[in-house]
Amino acid sequence: MNAITRLSEKVQVVVPEAIRDLKGWAPGLALEVVDAGGGVLLRPRRRVKTLTPSVAVARFKDIYRHQGPRVTLEEMDEAIAEGAARRAGRR
């Protein structure tokens, strides 16, 4: 289906109703404008899922569940320092 529209004085484009209805586009939909050589392509913007800090922490805990006794911050720091020293020795 093709349709014709014009740029307004505010340099805005109205997507014809028949096209909006066909695509199921509602007011407020974010559209990506892509250079397509001799014209442009309008397509719904892909949603980028962003994680809130609390969701990220919950997912991290599910993936990297520690098995065993609790480890202190000092023990973690010591293990990191030992690992860094080992890596430095390999280079």
Side-chain angles (χ1 to χ4, degrees):
M1 167 186 273
N2 292 339
I4 295 178
T5 190
R6 296 186 188 280
L7 282 176
S8 72
E9 289 187 25
K10 293 182 176 182
V11 195
Q12 296 172 326
V13 175
V14 174
V15 177
E17 184 178 12
I19 300 289
R20 292 191 318 260
D21 290 346
L22 179 70
K23 297 294 182 183
W25 291 356
L29 175 70
L31 295 172
E32 183 178 3
V33 181
V34 181
D35 181 12
V40 295
L41 169 68
L42 293 177
R43 63 182 173 207
R45 184 171 167 222
R46 292 188 202 123
R47 294 180 113 189
V48 176
K49 293 185 179 183
T50 56
L51 297 177
T52 62
S54 60
V55 171
V57 168
R59 287 190 181 172
F60 181 83
K61 284 181 177 179
D62 286 342
I63 294 170
Y64 299 103
R65 191 168 303 271
H66 174 71
Q67 302 293 326
R70 290 184 179 241
V71 180
T72 66
L73 289 176
E74 290 78 17
E75 291 170 320
M76 288 184 215
D77 287 341
E78 185 178 314
I80 291 169
E82 288 172 4
R86 278 195 308 270
R87 288 187 93 181
R90 283 192 237 158
R91 292 182 183 177

